[in-house]
Every structure is written in structure tokens, then in C-alpha cells.
Amino acid sequence: MTDSLNKCKANETAACCCVDVGTIIDNEDCSAEYEHVFATESEAQAKLALLTQAAEDVATEPCEITSRLEKVNNGFKLTANFTFCCGAECMIFQLKLR
């Protein structure tokens, strides 16, 4: 008989099927990217301001934010990258955007 716990890559404990947080949030990916096309430049700038505030609300250390706004055929394309000091903050930021 095969032990089902051995099939999982995460480190589970047999008592409660719990997973070590370090196997989920390993701080390898601390960046989140946002990309969207808006009808107007002001809408894109307003969204960037909201995203920036959301990132600042989550971050315990300053979040590195890079953004680019470019004119495209059907509006204005906003591309923004948010780099946090740890994976947990990045995950919280992404969840806040849902």
C-alpha cells in the first residue's frame, strides 16, 4: 500500500494534513504584474494611483513600483510591476486586487 503523504511535494504532517508555510510562500516570487488597457489616460492614471496605495498599505518596507503607460490603438495600456520585500506581502496584495 502506498502512503498518500509521500506523493505530495509539500511537507505535510500526518496528524492534520497541514502544510508548512515555507513550501507555499518561499520568497522566490515577490513581484506582481498588472496590465490593462483603459479607454482614457486619466482612467489608467487613476488605477495606477489605486494600485500604488494598495501596495503601500500592504508593504512593511517600501515596495518597488515600476510602471509604463503607452498609447495603443484602442486606448492607453498600463503596465505596472510591484516588487515586495517578501512573498507574503505580494500574495496579500494580489488577493486585495480580486
mmCIF file of all heavy atoms in Angstrom, residues 10-13 17-25:
data_model
loop_
_atom_site.group_PDB
_atom_site.id
_atom_site.type_symbol
_atom_site.label_atom_id
_atom_site.label_comp_id
_atom_site.label_asym_id
_atom_site.label_seq_id
_atom_site.Cartn_x
_atom_site.Cartn_y
_atom_site.Cartn_z
ATOM 1 N N ALA A 10 4.737 18.917 -0.980
ATOM 2 C CA ALA A 10 4.751 19.775 0.209
ATOM 3 C C ALA A 10 5.029 18.925 1.437
ATOM 4 O O ALA A 10 4.756 17.734 1.463
ATOM 5 C CB ALA A 10 3.409 20.483 0.349
ATOM 6 N N ASN A 11 5.568 19.534 2.460
ATOM 7 C CA ASN A 11 5.857 18.832 3.707
ATOM 8 C C ASN A 11 4.611 18.825 4.577
ATOM 9 O O ASN A 11 4.319 19.789 5.276
ATOM 10 C CB ASN A 11 7.011 19.517 4.448
ATOM 11 C CG ASN A 11 8.288 19.457 3.668
ATOM 12 O OD1 ASN A 11 8.540 18.480 2.975
ATOM 13 N ND2 ASN A 11 9.099 20.500 3.763
ATOM 14 N N GLU A 12 3.859 17.724 4.524
ATOM 15 C CA GLU A 12 2.635 17.609 5.304
ATOM 16 C C GLU A 12 2.921 16.896 6.612
ATOM 17 O O GLU A 12 3.821 16.073 6.695
ATOM 18 C CB GLU A 12 1.576 16.810 4.542
ATOM 19 C CG GLU A 12 1.059 17.488 3.292
ATOM 20 C CD GLU A 12 -0.054 16.693 2.640
ATOM 21 O OE1 GLU A 12 -0.519 15.702 3.233
ATOM 22 O OE2 GLU A 12 -0.448 17.056 1.547
ATOM 23 N N THR A 13 2.115 17.200 7.616
ATOM 24 C CA THR A 13 2.191 16.440 8.850
ATOM 25 C C THR A 13 1.036 15.457 8.849
ATOM 26 O O THR A 13 -0.081 15.786 8.456
ATOM 27 C CB THR A 13 2.100 17.349 10.092
ATOM 28 O OG1 THR A 13 0.890 18.086 10.038
ATOM 29 C CG2 THR A 13 3.282 18.304 10.167
ATOM 30 N N CYS A 17 -2.865 16.917 8.098
ATOM 31 C CA CYS A 17 -2.710 17.266 6.680
ATOM 32 C C CYS A 17 -2.366 18.738 6.507
ATOM 33 O O CYS A 17 -2.797 19.387 5.565
ATOM 34 C CB CYS A 17 -3.942 16.904 5.875
ATOM 35 S SG CYS A 17 -4.233 15.134 5.819
ATOM 36 N N CYS A 18 -1.634 19.286 7.445
ATOM 37 C CA CYS A 18 -1.190 20.673 7.372
ATOM 38 C C CYS A 18 0.040 20.762 6.483
ATOM 39 O O CYS A 18 0.782 19.805 6.349
ATOM 40 C CB CYS A 18 -0.848 21.208 8.764
ATOM 41 S SG CYS A 18 -2.247 21.185 9.893
ATOM 42 N N VAL A 19 0.252 21.904 5.890
ATOM 43 C CA VAL A 19 1.402 22.113 5.023
ATOM 44 C C VAL A 19 2.264 23.212 5.626
ATOM 45 O O VAL A 19 1.755 24.232 6.079
ATOM 46 C CB VAL A 19 0.950 22.521 3.602
ATOM 47 C CG1 VAL A 19 2.145 22.809 2.724
ATOM 48 C CG2 VAL A 19 0.087 21.429 2.995
ATOM 49 N N ASP A 20 3.556 23.011 5.638
ATOM 50 C CA ASP A 20 4.488 24.023 6.109
ATOM 51 C C ASP A 20 4.371 25.259 5.226
ATOM 52 O O ASP A 20 4.433 25.159 3.998
ATOM 53 C CB ASP A 20 5.909 23.469 6.067
ATOM 54 C CG ASP A 20 6.937 24.473 6.524
ATOM 55 O OD1 ASP A 20 6.658 25.242 7.446
ATOM 56 O OD2 ASP A 20 8.035 24.464 5.929
ATOM 57 N N VAL A 21 4.195 26.411 5.814
ATOM 58 C CA VAL A 21 4.017 27.648 5.062
ATOM 59 C C VAL A 21 5.190 27.899 4.118
ATOM 60 O O VAL A 21 5.026 28.420 3.027
ATOM 61 C CB VAL A 21 3.810 28.848 6.017
ATOM 62 C CG1 VAL A 21 3.787 30.153 5.250
ATOM 63 C CG2 VAL A 21 2.524 28.682 6.793
ATOM 64 N N GLY A 22 6.379 27.501 4.509
ATOM 65 C CA GLY A 22 7.563 27.703 3.673
ATOM 66 C C GLY A 22 7.504 26.989 2.348
ATOM 67 O O GLY A 22 8.206 27.352 1.406
ATOM 68 N N THR A 23 6.654 25.971 2.226
ATOM 69 C CA THR A 23 6.523 25.287 0.939
ATOM 70 C C THR A 23 5.581 26.032 0.005
ATOM 71 O O THR A 23 5.577 25.795 -1.188
ATOM 72 C CB THR A 23 6.017 23.848 1.116
ATOM 73 O OG1 THR A 23 4.726 23.867 1.719
ATOM 74 C CG2 THR A 23 6.973 23.019 1.946
ATOM 75 N N ILE A 24 4.790 26.931 0.552
ATOM 76 C CA ILE A 24 3.856 27.716 -0.267
ATOM 77 C C ILE A 24 4.422 29.108 -0.527
ATOM 78 O O ILE A 24 4.418 29.594 -1.636
ATOM 79 C CB ILE A 24 2.481 27.824 0.441
ATOM 80 C CG1 ILE A 24 1.880 26.429 0.612
ATOM 81 C CG2 ILE A 24 1.541 28.714 -0.349
ATOM 82 C CD1 ILE A 24 0.665 26.395 1.487
ATOM 83 N N ILE A 25 4.885 29.762 0.511
ATOM 84 C CA ILE A 25 5.441 31.107 0.407
ATOM 85 C C ILE A 25 6.940 30.998 0.650
ATOM 86 O O ILE A 25 7.393 31.011 1.784
ATOM 87 C CB ILE A 25 4.793 32.066 1.432
ATOM 88 C CG1 ILE A 25 3.271 32.062 1.293
ATOM 89 C CG2 ILE A 25 5.336 33.473 1.258
ATOM 90 C CD1 ILE A 25 2.552 32.812 2.372
#
